[in-house]
Amino acid sequence: MTEVERKAPAARQASIKLSTTSDQQRQNLLHAIAAVLLEQQEHILHANKLDLAEAEKAGRDAAYLDRLEINDTRLADLADAVTSVAELEDPLGTTLRSWTRPNGLSIREVSVPLGVIAAVFEARPNVTADISALALRTGNAVLLRGSRSAINTNKALTAAIQRGLQNSSLPQEAVQLIESPERSATTELMEASEWIDVLIPRGGKELINKVVRESHVPVIETGAGNCHVYIDKDADAELARKIAVDAKVQRPSVCNAAETLLVEASWAEQHLAELIDSLSSHGVTLRGCETTTSLDQRVYAAQEEDWETEYLNLTAAIKIVQDVHEACAHISKWGTKHSEAIITENPEAKDLFFQTVDASTLYHNASTRFTDGFEFGLGAEVGISTQKLHARGPMGLQALTTVKYLVEGNGQCKGSLSY
Amino acid sequence: MTEVERKAPAARQASIKLSTTSDQQRQNLLHAIAAVLLEQQEHILHANKLDLAEAEKAGRDAAYLDRLEINDTRLADLADAVTSVAELEDPLGTTLRSWTRPNGLSIREVSVPLGVIAAVFEARPNVTADISALALRTGNAVLLRGSRSAINTNKALTAAIQRGLQNSSLPQEAVQLIESPERSATTELMEASEWIDVLIPRGGKELINKVVRESHVPVIETGAGNCHVYIDKDADAELARKIAVDAKVQRPSVCNAAETLLVEASWAEQHLAELIDSLSSHGVTLRGCETTTSLDQRVYAAQEEDWETEYLNLTAAIKIVQDVHEACAHISKWGTKHSEAIITENPEAKDLFFQTVDASTLYHNASTRFTDGFEFGLGAEVGISTQKLHARGPMGLQALTTVKYLVEGNGQCKGSLSY
């Protein structure tokens, strides 16, 4: 029996127990977990040092080591995050709709846990505590598949979480780490649709693409964002510059940062130089269409692949377009349906953009950087879904729930057979 | 360029046009399609005769030929079904939630079409009109992949639908049939995630399993139903018998029919003989656990595989259980999370069953046969989802929509960078 064959059915059993817990029990559980995480600081930090030493020996760069490291401040933040999830509103047991049919059947649609969630993620060990807290708050069990390079840290964190479950008289199989070094363990998770209800990949593009392609378990896809800011003919010049800078520069490495600026031709004639001044002053390198390069010599010539590149750094593509229609067509061709902004004072241009562009989140006169669970006020960061089914855009706790219909009758039958 | 490579991007283009249509336009469109279907009766029935002749030559049985046949009554029904979809409430453009953030951003969550739907289905040609009507009503384009044996009928139906689109000045690429006889065309559809937003398989278990396993395009899974009726200690004897007969006998070939009866031991002692009388009088063959066979010699001995078999005929499995807990455990082990019923006068047993059993629809004192879009009052039969993500249980038009967030601001930026 492999590790997944052992742990996945145990997770299913634990999820049945969890699905019957009260809001108060689940809140207490997360507080208990936060407490154990702090109690076991010495043990967790020691385990993390083993991983850091191993990574250093393997010649990992400073950014990698930084992502991997847990120090006392970070552990305190991590415990705080668990506590804050405890305090979110209970998403379970809500009657979403209810109605009575002419035959007297009373139907209620009620929110319930998904069941078992599997998370496959890369080096950041905070995901271990983060996704466990979100899953448990919503009455789900979770199987964690972290990176090999964080194995000691993940073991220590999972042990602390399991101690919290025990202290709350709940089955510790509700949170289990898949420890096997074999790649086949990940493949097994992706095939265990009998035991696992949803698989969430957290990490780089390559990981996400692999999981989306190979998993037979339904996936919630997060990640890719080739986002655009379209500056319309009727855009306020100062507003446009301010938003373009924020969307590109404020944190270029994240999925809701802008990659391409689309600029209407007459606006460009008047204001392009100033826009480029602003971007250049923040160190942005520009790669533009022929018209842009002819207007401003600070712009390098873009290749076709620039329109589809998620730079995730201080590079931006820039293209002059004739009108909002051309902007929408460009976004439809190259966008990843994540976050798209229009800057304009013209309500008709805005309406057309809002109606035509197919993306999770459309902005009028605001930065694309607000596509985020916290910024939306959802109180949690389950992720930003880039798919259309189940959950789209910033996901709150609700994304980790499903529904069931509870139907009450007094003998209703479809036919009228003798009996 | 293959047929899918040609037609899938054209469907995407058409879907953009459709997404901007008004409710009235989409209603008119469906009325126009219903009219053309009737106008082209002669042509459609002639095409259907070609398919029927081919199927007869291939030695298909009467049931198969019956499913394939379209006669004038059936065509009229089919056109009526299109008209009735026209009259359903518009599921698009609804503001599902709206709120304003402390920074002044106003956020609206609005229902929008999914985009492009692909349907892969077996011999019944009515699916061609049915799924096209549902897709168009919800502003989606659709790619149809019907069975080879209905190719002439499907071509004629698709041509009629496309004429309806033309008559309504909408792109005929909104509904396209994939005609290629090659199996690779289906594989291509399952891989075209760039162009197709969701794939819906309609047909037998084998087709559905293949699509769920192989598709990279997200799937809405419908189908398998290993449904149970649990007769509790405190069940009214007459009510229990009536519901068991209805759930098993009224239409045994469908997914919401019951396959296994779970009977509490003390109830069985008193009432099992009568229950078996009722079922036998309708021609039901019973396959039971050891206790059942010892109590009643009309019951054959069940094998382990009986607990997981979706008979879809007049066979039922029957098992004596000690209490509601054992019933829930049995359902958790063998059920397919479709529809499960408890018959009892005891509210505690009902509550425990409702809370513990993980299935799309749970019934108290009613037949499982009501899990159905029409019976739920959703007005449409998109199918019965057996998955937990996106849509669960009976699906109305809403299952063919997604959301987008429309965010309006006046210059909001995440940071406060100079510009």
Side-chain angles (χ1 to χ4, degrees), chain A residues 290-325:
Chain A
E290 270 186 43
T291 318
T292 328
T293 53
S294 73
L295 285 171
D296 196 306
Q297 57 181 26
R298 291 170 291 181
V299 178
Y300 297 91
Q303 309 300 314
E304 176 142 317
E305 64 257 35
D306 283 295
W307 309 127
E308 64 177 346
T309 301
E310 201 184 345
Y311 300 112
L312 298 172
N313 61 29
L314 285 175
T315 312
I318 184 162
K319 186 179 182 185
I320 309 296
V321 296
Q322 288 316 305
D323 55 19
V324 62
H325 294 281

Side-chain angles (χ1 to χ4, degrees), chain B residues 65-268:
Chain B
L65 295 173
D66 182 58
R67 280 201 300 277
L68 183 56
E69 186 183 350
I70 297 188
N71 52 36
D72 47 3
T73 326
R74 287 183 179 182
L75 186 64
D77 287 350
L78 202 146
D80 274 355
V82 173
T83 304
S84 73
V85 172
E87 282 153 16
L88 292 176
E89 203 185 327
D90 187 12
L92 301 182
T94 310
T95 297
L96 303 170
R97 291 186 292 174
S98 67
W99 67 103
T100 303
R101 297 289 301 150
N103 62 7
L105 282 180
S106 128
I107 306 181
R108 262 184 307 150
E109 181 182 1
V110 176
S111 59
V112 297
L114 280 170
V116 178
I117 296 169
V120 179
F121 52 98
E122 287 168 345
R124 278 178 207 269
N126 64 316
V127 175
T128 305
D130 196 25
I131 199 99
S132 299
L134 294 166
L136 294 171
R137 185 74 187 92
T138 45
N140 295 290
V142 65
L143 291 165
L144 301 160
R145 175 64 169 169
S147 151
R148 186 80 210 131
S149 59
I151 185 71
N152 292 296
T153 315
N154 285 333
K155 274 185 179 172
L157 289 170
T158 307
I161 294 167
Q162 291 182 331
R163 174 66 61 87
L165 282 156
Q166 284 177 312
N167 292 353
S168 311
S169 306
L170 288 167
Q172 64 174 39
E173 292 80 8
V175 176
Q176 297 174 91
L177 181 68
I178 303 298
E179 300 177 11
S180 159
E182 305 296 329
R183 271 162 185 271
S184 62
T186 306
T187 309
E188 274 186 87
L189 282 179
M190 295 194 286
E191 288 176 355
S193 45
E194 190 182 349
W195 308 114
I196 301 172
D197 296 296
V198 63
L199 203 154
I200 302 180
R202 295 262 296 242
K205 206 168 170 177
E206 216 175 307
L207 170 74
I208 291 172
N209 286 347
K210 180 185 159 70
V211 170
V212 168
R213 274 196 76 82
E214 297 181 12
S215 181
H216 302 141
V217 174
V219 171
I220 295 183
E221 187 177 353
T222 60
N226 183 17
C227 306
H228 302 73
V229 173
Y230 166 58
I231 300 174
D232 187 48
K233 179 155 99 65
D234 298 318
D236 177 275
E238 200 178 323
L239 200 86
R241 230 163 68 211
K242 174 175 148 187
I243 289 172
V245 165
D246 187 77
K248 179 67 238 176
V249 173
Q250 200 261 341
R251 195 170 169 202
S253 64
V254 292
C255 61
N256 57 20
E259 306 296 354
T260 295
L261 305 174
L262 301 168
V263 185
E264 190 275 334
S266 67
W267 192 95

